[in-house]
Amino acid sequence: MTSLFEPFRLRDVTIRNRVWMSPMCQYSAADTGPATGAPTAWHATHLHSRAVGGAGLVIAEATAVSPEGRISPQDLGLWNDTQLEAFAPIVAQVAAAGATPGIQLAHAGRKASTYAPFATGSGSVPVEEGGWQTVAPSAEAFGHYAPPRALTTVDLDALVEDFRAATRRAVAAGFEVIELHGAHGYLLHQFLSPAANHRTDEYGGDLEGRMRLPLRVVDAVRGELPEALPLVVRLSATDWLPEGEGWDVDQSVALSRRLKEHGVDLVDVSSGGLDHRQQIEVGPGYQVPFAARIRREAGIATGAVGMITEPKQAQDILAAGEADAVLLARELLRDPYWPLHAAQALEVEPASTPWPKQYLRAL
């Protein structure tokens, strides 16, 4: 029986427990001047508080590998050294609190250049308001968003190098886990899904062609990472579209087998986000069966996500062998100290979620 509070080892990195914080966009980076894309005091507080709260792995939000890869103008980036220098003290602060610092590297593709969810506008940001031309596998828009430009093979070569360079900076900043964002309808997911990728060259068509760019990115990132550091990929296991129209669990299993061969250590299993037609069957733990199937059939470690809110629920997922870790998002926004409270609820000695000495009088 695997406990929620057992350490978990990925390569040479030992994560103190199996309650991990999912990357969650804060839309709070500077959007003008030399500090564009750099983390701020908000990010420092947001990440450090979850580390103090007992999370094992704290993953910084989707961080763009190029200016055009940002979801919104206020997104984080790691395409220059100014951003690296701003990240470094935040990463050190997370590690000093006992958590493992991770970062999600991303490119939003056709879902880039949009307003933050709490902005007054919605949809695509016009160029005159700080937006930009988006790119995608094919020149087909996401819903009512602005039409993207189809990427050329020369563009794809540059894109791979952008991921490589961002990885180099992430390691220099002190991050110990790198996650690639291949989910939620962003660029790598767009290449994987036949609902978004209608290319006729070697990067489209059959499953092998649609996997080509994501696997090239994985190879570039893995080649840049020290052997001791783990690589994670977040996938949308299904597009929730009618059979044969989009990405599905069978293809996710096949891709996960290839990811393992290419040096990926864990698949963070989510779903959806690619197509407005999706019909999602939502409920507590609704995505856990996807993580369980990929773990079982692809033989790779997985993380489970999706409406995991109760300590016993999280513990039962691990005890049943459905995943190797659980990743919490909104629940950690509601309660940054969820791991500490979960250890109490499960009557677990909190050795793997140590209370800060400054807070011991509340234990």
Side-chain angles (χ1 to χ4, degrees):
M1 178 175 175
T2 300
S3 169
L4 201 58
F5 296 100
E6 285 181 8
F8 187 59
R9 186 179 176 92
L10 285 173
R11 296 192 180 241
D12 289 353
V13 175
T14 298
I15 302 168
R16 64 182 174 184
N17 61 48
R18 296 165 189 251
V19 186
W20 300 353
M21 188 184 88
S22 283
M24 290 177 280
C25 289
Q26 300 297 292
Y27 307 103
S28 298
D31 57 3
T32 57
T36 295
T40 65
W42 176 266
H43 298 95
T45 301
H46 170 66
L47 297 171
H48 182 240
S49 63
R50 275 72 193 175
V52 170
L57 172 63
V58 173
I59 308 178
E61 67 201 71
T63 300
V65 299
S66 67
E68 298 77 20
R70 291 172 293 165
I71 302 168
S72 79
Q74 295 78 34
D75 274 28
L76 290 179
L78 199 46
W79 64 80
N80 64 41
D81 289 347
T82 298
Q83 297 156 346
L84 185 167
E85 291 162 6
F87 266 117
I90 298 173
V91 175
Q93 192 176 21
V94 168
T100 301
I103 189 170
Q104 185 185 69
L105 299 180
H107 192 297
R110 67 182 187 175
K111 293 180 77 174
S113 188
T114 61
Y115 288 99
F118 42 76
T120 54
S122 64
S124 297
V125 178
V127 172
E128 58 271 20
E129 293 184 26
W132 55 89
Q133 172 66 60
T134 58
V135 295
S138 306
E140 299 169 15
F142 174 74
H144 64 281
Y145 287 10
R149 175 179 66 81
L151 289 157
T152 68
T153 54
V154 173
D155 293 330
L156 297 183
D157 291 342
L159 179 74
V160 171
E161 293 308 309
D162 287 340
F163 273 95
R164 191 193 309 275
T167 302
R168 189 181 311 124
R169 291 190 176 96
V171 173
F175 287 106
E176 298 179 46
V177 175
I178 305 299
E179 176 173 279
L180 295 177
H181 201 347
H184 302 162
Y186 298 120
L187 187 65
L188 298 183
H189 185 187
Q190 291 163 27
F191 269 89
L192 290 170
S193 178
N197 183 347
H198 298 120
R199 298 175 72 97
T200 57
D201 63 3
E202 66 269 34
Y203 291 97
D206 62 10
L207 178 59
E208 191 66 29
R210 287 181 279 112
M211 292 192 300
R212 191 177 307 278
L213 178 71
L215 289 176
R216 279 192 66 190
V217 170
V218 165
D219 287 344
V221 171
R222 182 71 266 175
E224 196 62 44
L225 276 176
E227 185 65 24
L229 298 186
L231 177 58
V232 174
V233 173
R234 171 162 274 196
L235 292 181
S236 277
T238 176
D239 289 339
W240 297 98
L241 293 175
E243 185 175 354
E245 293 189 22
W247 186 254
D248 57 29
V249 187
D250 289 342
Q251 293 173 92
S252 291
V253 170
L255 173 61
S256 295
R257 291 188 181 117
R258 296 292 297 278
L259 292 175
K260 183 178 180 181
E261 293 171 359
H262 285 249
V264 172
D265 302 288
L266 182 141
V267 178
D268 175 3
V269 187
S270 187
S271 70
L274 183 107
D275 194 299
H276 285 296
R277 298 172 297 157
Q278 65 187 17
Q279 296 293 316
I280 302 179
E281 301 166 9
V282 176
Y286 71 103
Q287 296 174 132
V288 174
F290 303 141
R293 183 174 168 193
I294 289 172
R295 186 178 190 266
R296 181 176 66 251
E297 296 184 17
I300 191 169
T302 61
V305 309
M307 294 185 71
I308 299 170
T309 60
E310 300 298 328
K312 186 178 185 303
Q313 175 197 17
Q315 173 62 36
D316 288 348
I317 291 167
L318 300 185
E322 294 179 299
D324 297 276
V326 295
L327 291 98
L328 276 58
R330 289 173 177 83
E331 195 60 24
L332 279 175
L333 295 183
R334 300 180 189 106
D335 180 4
Y337 303 98
W338 191 95
L340 299 181
H341 297 150
Q344 288 182 307
L346 295 171
E347 298 182 341
V348 172
E349 184 66 32
S352 54
T353 54
W355 281 62
K357 61 186 179 182
Q358 295 90 340
Y359 292 178
L360 283 176
R361 62 184 178 270
L363 176 60

